[in-house]
Amino acid sequence: MKFKSLLRLLLLSTVVSFAQIPSKQLKYKNAQVYNKTFNLQHTKLDVGFNFSEELLYGKAWLDVTPHFYATDKLELDAKGMLINEISIAGKKLEYHYDGMKIYIDLDKTYKKTDTLHLYIDYTARPNRVKQEGSNAITSAKGLYFINPNGDSVDKPTQIWTQGETEASSCWFPTIDKPNQKTTQEIYITVPDKYKTLSNGMLISSDVKKEGFRTDYWKMDQKHAPYLFFMGVGEFAVVKDKWKGKEVNYYVEKEYEHLAKKIFGNTPRMLDYFSEITGIDYVWDKYSQIVVRDFVSGAMENTTAVVHGEGAYQSEGDLLDQNTWENIIAHELFHHWFGDLVTTENWGNLTLNESFANYSEYLWVAHAYGKDRADAHMQKEIEGYKKGDNLGKHLVRFDYVNKEDMFDAVSYNKGGVVLHMLRNYIGDAAFFQGIKKYLTDFQFKAAEAHNLRMAFEEVSGKDLNWFFDQWYYGSGHPDVSISHDYNILEKTVTITLKQSEDAVFYFPVNIVIYEKGKKTSRDLFVDASEKSFVYSYEKYPDWIHVNADHVVLGEFRQHKALKEYKFQLQNAPHYLDRMTALKELIKHQEDKDVFELVVKAFDDSYYEVQVVALEGIDLSNKHAKRDVIGKIERLVKTAKNNFVKAAAIKVLGRLVYFDYQAGFEKACESESNLVKTSALEALYYLDKPLAMKKAKSLPKSVKKAIAFPLSKMYFKNRDVEEMSFVAGSVIQGMHLNNDKEINELFAKAFQWIAASNNVQAYRNLVADMVVKGKQYKKYNFDKKMISMLREMVYKQEKSNNSNAKELVAVVKSGLVQLVE
């Protein structure tokens, strides 16, 4: 498919330039096509469970209509099931079932004006499902029984479902495509001790004989089958409200007192997202549930969002920062983008995930300010650039597996693309365009073209060129920047040169700092090489291209040390200050540079402060007592715990015994960050006391600060804590950017691998399996398999009394990783 557009863009506020956008061909080599032959109208389910056998006994009533053509055949998705009966009005139908689909011979030919009322009696067997998950959603069997027989004392019994992409059909027959929309009812029969959660409202709870209860959930608004949810378990239900609607948090009893500290900003998010979209949250309620062993981070099931146990945080964690809050915002925004308006097909997944990704930026900016939001977006950009993503289109149909769509292109890049679009058309047009799109397609499915046309209708701008290169193209600009000064005429020519392999068109913000003032221009790059000429009175202090950091790309520019000095002191964007600081930290032998690093202790954004503290060189000749005094004051007065913890670490490196009393006091802090830094600092002064304090910590706190504790335990070669250390080995070896820590935990791995400690082996192998699956897209599973084989080799060559049992533990892990 080709897109051509004639651009009329105002350059330098006066000159009009015309550019022909080059067309790019959409490739359909492996195109995934789904023809809609029937429409779901209503789904009614009645389910019960056999916990020990991990089975669901179900009855389904489906109301469906032919989409256009008259037909006497119907195909339904139903994976791994036993089909007991299919009938219409009591009349049994003939069908063929291949384990994935049911091919039904209807009792007559039905026209598009007819409605079929189909009944199916079935048994769902999730462990018989063969389809595979993705890097984002690690399993696809739809229905999960957690500790069903109660064998584990550390894990509750739960049942939960996960439908995306097409796994709802593992627990009920349906047409399992994102462009289907259906209302629903579900009757769930469970032992009376369990709570249930599903989409819509709980209409009734009917207590049965012999300790069972049937909960009846009903949803009158249509949504896609992959958004169906069912959760069962012993949960505390913490109640909240938004505009009279129920907002509930389902958590394990242990976390009941923390539920509102974790999820309590949800009503504020509902206010904010309703305001910016122009559409109030439309659904009947909003519930969130935290489950064990979830196969992803979280999932936006309509009105019944499920979170993995990473949502659980201790009091000390939450005092420092709620690390799950971005995910809470992400899943909520899906209730506009994904649930209300759903992608027509998985090739257009950007309509769901890019908006949800961008909502994280929007919420953080609204709640915590621009610096933190910009820092969050930069991490998203880095995540996109790290992966093998440059050749992928944002909208694409030539994927080998639909699960491949769940990547850093659909999420990270897509969110940044929306930010660029917002910047190009302006806030008013962007948010009015969102409102139009959501209004026109509510309770329907859409494609990226529909989004483009909504923005075009509101703004009046032709956006074909933008969507052509950012949605239907791949990669991003790679730009080298040069400056050519004409001293006689006092002009500077700024030239932007792109790689010839990928030429992008984009508006760019250029800021020139001169004589204490700054001049900002928004210009348009429409060629592989573009130059702009500026006049100046005094030689500029800094010429900054892409100064607002809106354009996704690489902008390469050589800078002298004096420019980095100026940049650190004057840049409004956190990333420019951070970039300059990291460069200047390398040059602290320069007194002026050292003083600038110290000055960065007072930066407006805490991450810059932390980097300055971590990078300060107190051993050089410029270090003075007043600098140490400033760090001491930060320990006492810093409001941000990340800054306070970093300051304690700096003082800890000095090994001054005068600080011991302060470190001991800080060990009692409610903040886990501060407590951890204080323990590490105390370790350098009084190792036995630090170890004693560490061992006396409550179990919940030990769990929260497991990684730094593990470092201390291993440095001390504490055999009693070997099993505890085992849980942090993989993080330390492979998921930390500090080379010293990598080497430390590589030694910890060898320590455990050669040991006779069964529990340490179990903990290490369990973590290797989890991390191997979690980071499979980076071939982490292969790395874990190699390490597991090394463990087998060590035990087979050892004289350990538990060698056979240890080898069995490892081989079990190998089986799980290669399944």
Side-chain angles (χ1 to χ4, degrees):
M1 191 177 295
K2 296 181 180 179
F3 299 93
K4 292 184 178 179
S5 176
L6 189 65
L7 296 179
R8 297 182 178 181
L9 299 156
L10 190 62
L11 300 180
L12 299 174
S13 303
T14 58
V15 181
V16 176
S17 172
F18 296 89
Q20 185 71 36
I21 298 296
S23 62
K24 297 175 183 176
Q25 185 68 39
L26 253 181
K27 296 179 180 178
Y28 287 88
K29 181 174 64 175
N30 297 312
Q32 308 294 313
V33 177
Y34 166 65
N35 295 317
K36 186 186 282 190
T37 56
F38 277 87
N39 297 316
L40 288 170
Q41 299 295 337
H42 184 68
T43 301
K44 178 181 175 182
L45 304 172
D46 188 343
V47 303
F49 308 97
N50 181 326
F51 283 73
S52 61
E53 298 294 328
E54 298 188 25
L55 302 174
L56 176 150
Y57 302 120
K59 295 181 174 70
W61 293 265
L62 305 180
D63 292 348
V64 298
T65 59
H67 182 74
F68 185 81
Y69 299 103
T71 182
D72 61 355
K73 307 289 184 185
L74 171 62
E75 292 181 17
L76 294 177
D77 298 296
K79 302 177 178 81
M81 296 181 183
L82 287 174
I83 307 300
N84 304 315
E85 178 188 331
I86 301 177
S87 61
I88 292 179
K91 182 180 179 180
K92 292 185 178 180
L93 302 178
E94 296 292 324
Y95 63 89
H96 169 67
Y97 179 52
D98 65 5
M100 295 291 286
K101 285 182 176 288
I102 312 172
Y103 303 90
I104 304 171
D105 295 324
L106 300 175
D107 57 331
K108 65 176 185 178
T109 298
Y110 287 84
K111 298 178 292 186
K112 68 177 183 178
T113 54
D114 297 327
T115 300
L116 289 76
H117 303 286
L118 198 69
Y119 169 75
I120 305 173
D121 186 299
Y122 66 97
T123 301
R125 304 175 299 173
N127 293 330
R128 299 290 187 94
V129 174
K130 300 300 182 185
Q131 67 178 356
E132 295 183 357
S134 66
N135 293 319
I137 306 168
T138 58
S139 177
K141 64 180 186 178
L143 175 66
Y144 299 82
F145 290 79
I146 307 304
N147 193 26
N149 298 313
D151 298 330
S152 173
V153 295
D154 298 322
K155 192 174 294 185
T157 297
Q158 295 177 351
I159 299 172
W160 45 263
T161 63
Q162 165 57 32
E164 195 173 39
T165 52
E166 296 173 9
S168 284
S169 51
C170 300
W171 66 279
F172 66 94
T174 188
I175 304 173
D176 208 352
K177 298 297 177 184
N179 62 357
Q180 290 287 341
K181 297 273 184 167
T182 174
T183 51
Q184 75 175 79
E185 299 172 82
I186 180 169
Y187 294 82
I188 308 171
T189 299
V190 294
D192 194 35
K193 66 179 180 178
Y194 294 129
K195 294 280 196 309
T196 70
L197 176 64
S198 189
N199 315 92
M201 300 300 293
L202 179 61
I203 304 302
S204 64
S205 290
D206 183 13
V207 178
K208 307 287 186 181
K209 293 181 180 179
E210 299 178 356
F212 282 82
R213 187 187 75 253
T214 298
D215 288 348
Y216 170 43
W217 293 86
K218 186 181 182 187
M219 184 158 165
D220 293 325
Q221 296 157 304
K222 288 192 171 187
H223 66 150
Y226 77 89
L227 296 166
F228 277 44
F229 177 75
M230 175 176 60
V232 177
E234 294 185 80
F235 295 101
V237 182
V238 178
K239 296 184 178 295
D240 216 335
K241 280 195 173 182
W242 180 78
K243 292 189 176 181
K245 294 185 177 183
E246 288 185 13
V247 176
N248 297 331
Y249 317 126
Y250 288 64
V251 296
E252 292 171 33
K253 188 71 178 176
E254 178 187 351
Y255 291 92
E256 183 175 10
H257 69 293
L258 294 172
K260 284 196 176 181
K261 292 185 178 181
I262 297 169
F263 296 106
N265 274 336
T266 301
R268 286 180 58 205
M269 292 178 183
L270 284 160
D271 276 332
Y272 178 61
F273 291 154
S274 295
E275 177 188 346
I276 63 172
T277 60
I279 296 176
D280 269 3
Y281 177 82
V282 302
W283 309 98
D284 294 334
K285 72 156 193 311
Y286 193 69
S287 292
Q288 297 173 86
I289 186 171
V290 184
V291 303
R292 295 292 190 100
D293 297 348
F294 192 53
V295 294
S296 186
M299 177 62 200
E300 66 270 16
N301 312 298
T302 317
T303 77
V305 168
V306 60
H307 294 273
E309 59 199 277
Y312 287 142
Q313 297 160 81
S314 72
E315 192 92 49
D317 291 329
L318 294 165
L319 187 65
D320 297 328
Q321 189 175 107
N322 183 351
T323 58
W324 207 256
E325 190 166 324
N326 293 341
I327 296 173
I328 293 169
H330 180 113
E331 305 308 329
L332 175 55
F333 208 56
H334 267 307
H335 281 68
W336 285 263
F337 294 91
D339 296 8
L340 182 60
V341 180
T342 308
T343 178
E344 168 69 24
N345 45 59
W346 300 118
N348 278 275
L349 183 64
T350 177
L351 295 177
N352 292 10
E353 295 301 347
S354 299
F355 275 100
N357 178 277
Y358 189 44
S359 75
E360 299 174 32
Y361 173 89
L362 292 169
W363 170 251
V364 172
H366 172 73
Y368 303 107
K370 190 174 185 300
D371 276 345
R372 186 161 154 186
D374 288 338
H376 174 74
M377 180 167 283
Q378 182 59 29
K379 291 181 179 71
E380 295 297 299
I381 291 171
E382 289 169 2
Y384 152 70
K385 289 181 178 179
K386 279 181 182 176
D388 182 21
N389 299 310
L390 294 184
K392 296 179 181 178
H393 296 190
L394 193 52
V395 177
R396 58 189 187 272
F397 298 93
D398 59 344
Y399 49 80
V400 176
N401 186 330
K402 61 186 180 299
E403 309 297 336
D404 296 339
M405 290 299 300
F406 293 80
D407 60 14
V409 176
S410 296
Y411 287 73
N412 308 38
K413 181 182 180 181
V416 182
V417 168
L418 287 170
H419 190 59
M420 288 192 289
L421 180 60
R422 173 187 173 188
N423 182 74
Y424 178 63
I425 66 175
D427 277 12
F430 181 78
F431 289 110
Q432 286 179 39
I434 279 177
K435 182 177 180 180
K436 177 171 178 54
Y437 168 76
L438 292 170
T439 302
D440 290 351
F441 292 94
Q442 61 181 326
F443 305 111
K444 299 177 183 177
E447 296 184 347
H449 299 298
N450 302 125
L451 182 68
R452 172 181 58 81
M453 289 189 287
F455 283 126
E456 286 183 337
E457 187 167 335
V458 167
S459 69
K461 293 180 180 289
D462 182 347
L463 297 174
N464 271 303
W465 69 272
F466 185 94
F467 276 72
D468 184 35
Q469 69 180 13
W470 290 113
Y471 280 83
Y472 305 106
S474 61
H476 53 261
D478 188 341
V479 184
S480 61
I481 303 164
S482 61
H483 306 146
D484 184 16
Y485 288 91
N486 187 320
I487 304 299
L488 295 177
E489 295 186 7
K490 288 194 173 182
T491 61
V492 56
T493 301
I494 304 167
T495 300
L496 280 64
K497 186 174 182 180
Q498 298 186 61
S499 165
E500 291 290 347
D501 296 333
V503 178
F504 284 76
Y505 296 165
F506 52 90
V508 65
N509 177 243
I510 299 178
V511 175
I512 295 184
Y513 291 79
E514 176 193 0
K515 293 175 62 177
K517 296 180 180 180
K518 63 179 184 178
T519 303
S520 177
R521 295 278 183 88
D522 292 316
L523 307 168
F524 201 87
V525 176
D526 59 357
S528 61
E529 186 171 321
K530 188 77 174 183
S531 296
F532 306 99
V533 180
Y534 287 89
S535 299
Y536 64 86
E537 295 179 25
K538 184 182 176 184
Y539 196 90
D541 297 295
W542 182 28
I543 297 174
H544 193 11
V545 177
N546 196 26
D548 55 9
H549 293 273
V550 167
V551 181
L552 173 61
E554 303 288 350
F555 290 85
R556 308 178 192 282
Q557 179 178 358
H558 174 73
K559 294 178 188 174
L561 193 62
K562 67 175 183 178
E563 290 176 287
Y564 282 115
K565 292 179 181 179
F566 184 89
Q567 183 173 321
L568 178 59
Q569 297 178 85
N570 295 278
H573 197 285
Y574 111 92
L575 181 59
D576 294 316
R577 302 196 304 278
M578 182 71 87
T579 302
L581 175 62
K582 288 180 177 179
E583 181 60 33
L584 293 173
I585 281 172
K586 304 172 187 175
H587 305 281
Q588 293 183 66
E589 69 281 357
D590 182 313
K591 184 178 180 181
D592 291 339
V593 169
F594 177 79
E595 290 177 352
L596 286 176
V597 174
V598 173
K599 189 176 180 181
F601 293 172
D602 299 319
D603 192 88
S604 60
Y605 185 51
Y606 78 89
E607 287 190 10
V608 176
Q609 293 178 268
V610 168
V611 169
L613 285 162
E614 290 177 344
I616 193 69
D617 183 1
L618 294 178
S619 66
N620 74 58
K621 62 183 180 181
H622 307 301
K624 296 180 180 178
R625 178 64 206 173
D626 60 344
V627 175
I628 296 174
K630 188 170 186 176
I631 299 170
E632 292 171 347
R633 287 191 293 276
L634 281 173
V635 170
K636 296 177 181 178
T637 64
K639 294 181 180 180
N640 185 284
N641 287 331
F642 286 88
V643 176
K644 183 173 290 190
I648 289 172
K649 282 186 178 180
V650 176
L651 298 184
R653 292 200 300 264
L654 297 176
V655 197
Y656 288 174
F657 285 92
D658 290 349
Y659 293 143
Q660 181 164 336
F663 293 159
E664 289 182 38
K665 183 178 179 181
C667 285
E668 308 306 318
S669 172
E670 294 180 1
S671 159
N672 284 340
L673 284 169
V674 172
K675 191 192 306 287
T676 299
S677 291
L679 277 171
E680 289 189 30
L682 185 60
Y683 183 83
Y684 295 119
L685 297 176
D686 190 334
K687 187 184 299 184
L689 179 60
M691 297 301 294
K692 181 180 177 181
K693 283 186 174 291
K695 287 176 178 288
S696 68
L697 292 172
K699 185 177 179 181
S700 60
V701 175
K702 285 183 178 180
K703 182 179 177 182
I705 62 172
F707 186 67
L709 272 186
S710 295
K711 286 195 295 181
M712 285 176 53
Y713 289 150
F714 175 65
K715 284 179 180 178
N716 206 45
R717 296 301 192 276
D718 191 333
V719 176
E720 289 182 1
E721 300 292 348
M722 182 182 285
S723 60
F724 185 90
V725 173
S728 297
V729 165
I730 301 306
Q731 180 184 344
M733 281 183 72
H734 300 295
L735 302 175
N736 193 291
N737 292 324
D738 188 316
K739 186 177 179 181
E740 187 177 331
I741 289 176
N742 299 156
E743 292 173 352
L744 179 71
F745 278 97
K747 292 176 183 176
F749 169 73
Q750 297 297 334
W751 181 52
I752 295 168
S755 79
N756 199 32
N757 191 318
V758 176
Q759 191 57 53
Y761 252 64
R762 286 175 178 161
N763 291 354
L764 177 56
V765 171
D767 193 46
M768 292 168 81
V769 170
V770 170
K771 299 263 188 333
K773 290 182 176 180
Q774 185 178 359
Y775 301 108
K776 188 175 181 179
K777 62 182 174 182
Y778 303 117
N779 292 318
F780 211 67
D781 55 332
K782 294 182 176 62
K783 189 172 291 185
M784 295 300 99
I785 288 170
S786 176
M787 290 175 65
L788 288 167
R789 286 173 176 161
E790 182 181 348
M791 293 167 72
V792 170
Y793 177 80
K794 282 183 178 294
Q795 290 300 326
E796 288 179 340
K797 297 294 182 182
S798 77
N799 294 317
N800 288 334
S801 60
N802 294 325
K804 287 186 178 180
E805 186 176 355
L806 296 173
V807 169
V809 169
V810 175
K811 287 184 176 178
S812 174
L814 283 166
V815 169
Q816 294 176 64
L817 275 174
V818 300
E819 280 180 341

